[in-house]
Amino acid sequence: MCGNNMSAPLPAIVPAARKATAAVIFLHGLGDTGHGWAEAFEGIRIPHVKYICPHAPTMPVSLNMRMSMPSWFDIYGLSPEAEEDEAGIKRASENVKAMIDQEVKNGIPSHRILLGGFSQGGALSLYTALTSQQKLAGVVALSCWLPLRKSFPQAAANSPNKDMHVLQCHGDSDPLVPFVFGAQTAEKMKSLINPANVTFKSYRGLPHSACPEEMIDIKRFIEKQLPALSDE
């Protein structure tokens, strides 16, 4: 990886216990890697689902005094008014769309692929799903926000995902991405896709992290959106 900021190691993968007929692509948060989330999904795995947890490239991050760390795009601030790295967000989104294309080539149709992420990764998963031309199974968005929200609804004008299901989860004691920012994001999502398909769940006392109750909710959501095929 040294010397090449755009390179990143191969994703952490939890293979399906039998033939994979569905996939979850889950994007970690700022400064993290995919390994921890792969372990979390091992704990709630569904036999026909493959879990792909890619690692972000390393780059300097303005929010953290330009220190280099794994990041999908640059972050200047974590408030609704903060300036945003538009070029970086769009570039990262194209990379995620390429991952979706790769799974389609591997034999899993896009409508059997669910996007997800935590914090910065959740933000990128929401943006990617709304701007993708691939019809997706849905999105699991944890402790996050919708990036470049002022570019919507125009950016999602031709989206095939207007009826996708979204599970948004947020701790009500989040000191990094304020709970109200998550709640505002859910309202924005309801204006962009079928509002009946947007579920916003809050978790009492949860800071900027995940919890066992949330992981159970995620498993139930994945089971509903990516059911086993009739011949499995």
Side-chain angles (χ1 to χ4, degrees):
M1 248 178 94
C2 293
N4 181 358
N5 279 351
M6 291 317 292
S7 72
L10 292 170
I13 291 176
V14 181
R18 52 179 189 245
K19 183 177 186 288
T21 61
V24 172
I25 298 174
F26 193 91
L27 311 173
H28 64 72
L30 179 66
D32 198 3
T33 69
H35 293 299
W37 285 103
E39 280 181 29
F41 282 113
E42 270 182 23
I44 60 164
R45 67 196 299 192
I46 299 160
H48 62 277
V49 179
K50 171 186 181 184
Y51 301 86
I52 303 153
C53 300
H55 312 293
T58 299
M59 64 176 74
V61 176
S62 299
L63 181 72
N64 290 343
M65 299 181 295
R66 304 283 302 155
M67 276 170 46
S68 282
M69 62 189 63
S71 185
W72 301 107
F73 49 86
D74 197 8
I75 297 184
Y76 306 118
L78 288 172
S79 73
E81 297 74 42
E83 188 188 340
E84 294 184 279
D85 174 20
E86 182 172 355
I89 291 164
K90 288 181 172 173
R91 186 168 55 244
S93 181
E94 290 306 313
N95 289 339
V96 177
K97 288 169 189 170
M99 290 180 212
I100 296 167
D101 289 341
Q102 185 55 53
E103 288 313 303
V104 171
K105 282 190 189 127
N106 289 344
I108 297 175
S110 68
H111 69 269
R112 297 277 294 166
I113 297 172
L114 192 139
L115 270 190
F118 176 80
S119 193
Q120 187 194 40
L124 181 56
S125 67
L126 284 175
Y127 181 83
T128 302
L130 287 172
T131 58
S132 174
Q133 291 310 301
Q134 295 271 35
K135 186 170 173 59
L136 300 168
V139 179
V140 172
L142 312 181
S143 309
C144 69
W145 67 97
L146 175 63
L148 305 179
R149 69 190 186 289
K150 291 190 176 134
S151 68
F152 296 98
Q154 291 79 5
N158 300 315
S159 171
N161 292 313
K162 295 274 174 71
D163 278 316
M164 72 175 173
H165 287 254
V166 173
L167 173 64
Q168 221 187 306
C169 303
H170 215 112
D172 69 3
S173 300
D174 192 326
L176 284 179
V177 180
F179 178 77
V180 67
F181 198 4
Q184 287 170 357
T185 295
E187 289 311 304
K188 179 73 173 178
M189 290 299 296
K190 285 176 183 175
S191 74
L192 299 174
I193 65 174
N194 183 342
N197 293 347
V198 178
T199 302
F200 182 72
K201 291 204 161 201
S202 61
Y203 299 85
R204 186 183 293 275
L206 182 68
H208 193 64
S209 62
C211 66
E213 181 192 350
E214 185 181 27
M215 294 308 293
I216 290 166
D217 288 337
I218 292 165
K219 181 179 185 181
R220 285 183 183 139
F221 179 78
I222 295 172
E223 282 174 332
K224 200 167 178 186
Q225 305 314 318
L226 299 174
L229 299 177
S230 56
D231 59 348
E232 289 184 312

